[in-house]
Amino acid sequence: MAKLVSNVYGDALFELALELDRIDEFTEEVNGIIDVLEENKDLSKMMCHPKIVKEEKIEVVENIFKGRVSDEIVGLMVMVIEKDHFKDMEAVFNYYVDKVKEYKKIGVAKVQTPIELTDAQKKSVEKKLLDTTDYVSFEMHYEVEPDLIGGMVIRIG
């Protein structure tokens, strides 16, 4: 079965980061690129426009990111553009970030409750999750869901 574009390029970037021992550096840069892509939807529209040739798209990416992020990441972005997969660029970087969290044993938990939890309750939930899982830390996301009658819903991953 064919792998998703995000998995192929995300795995390649992760393996390179491991090999070069630059996981934290690459993760910081990738998060910055994700922010840029999310904040500038017009950039994504332009980069996916079929009438703009690949060479121009590559030039735009190099003008924006070269010197601001590592050459390896710019090279990956160029490769993705050359293969006509810019629409998957954000997914590639999100996959990479998820892979880093998995590698560092950082869990992502979404907690839904009918009322706002106090800080003490939030700490208690996080401690319980750490005690009952193999994760060393958690990225916690709390959400008030008034439709819940009671208790809480916890989703990890």
Side-chain angles (χ1 to χ4, degrees):
M1 185 173 168
K3 278 186 155 183
L4 293 173
V5 170
S6 59
N7 297 26
V8 172
Y9 291 105
D11 283 335
L13 182 58
F14 180 75
E15 293 300 323
L16 180 64
L18 269 179
E19 185 179 311
L20 299 176
D21 194 28
R22 293 170 61 190
I23 288 180
D24 293 333
E25 177 188 339
F26 280 11
T27 304
E28 187 177 320
E29 292 176 359
V30 162
N31 283 324
I33 294 170
I34 291 170
D35 290 343
V36 167
L37 294 175
E38 286 176 351
E39 291 170 9
N40 299 291
K41 294 299 180 189
D42 289 341
L43 172 63
S44 294
K45 284 181 188 174
M46 183 202 66
M47 295 300 288
C48 293
H49 197 285
K51 292 198 177 193
I52 298 176
V53 295
K54 289 180 193 176
E55 291 77 18
E56 287 181 52
K57 293 176 184 180
I58 291 169
E59 188 177 325
V60 166
V61 164
E62 287 178 340
N63 286 339
I64 294 172
F65 296 107
K66 202 162 188 106
R68 292 182 178 88
V69 298
S70 61
D71 290 341
E72 293 85 357
I73 291 179
V74 173
L76 175 82
M77 293 175 78
V78 167
M79 191 182 326
V80 170
I81 292 168
E82 287 173 344
K83 300 288 185 183
D84 282 327
H85 293 299
F86 186 86
K87 67 185 180 314
D88 299 312
M89 188 79 69
E90 199 170 331
V92 168
F93 290 139
N94 283 321
Y95 178 86
Y96 168 80
V97 170
D98 290 343
K99 191 97 169 152
V100 168
K101 287 178 184 173
E102 180 183 314
Y103 175 75
K104 290 185 167 194
K105 294 191 177 278
I106 300 170
V108 178
K110 180 179 179 185
V111 180
Q112 295 176 309
T113 55
I115 59 171
E116 185 72 33
L117 295 177
T118 65
D119 288 341
Q121 290 170 321
K122 289 178 180 179
K123 281 185 176 41
S124 175
V125 169
E126 186 173 356
K127 183 182 182 327
K128 187 68 172 175
L129 290 175
L130 288 170
D131 290 345
T132 57
T133 65
D134 292 332
Y135 294 110
V136 295
S137 68
F138 268 95
E139 184 180 296
M140 303 294 290
H141 301 278
Y142 294 95
E143 183 180 302
V144 174
E145 184 60 51
D147 292 341
L148 287 175
I149 295 171
M152 65 178 65
V153 176
I154 299 174
R155 289 191 175 92
I156 299 174

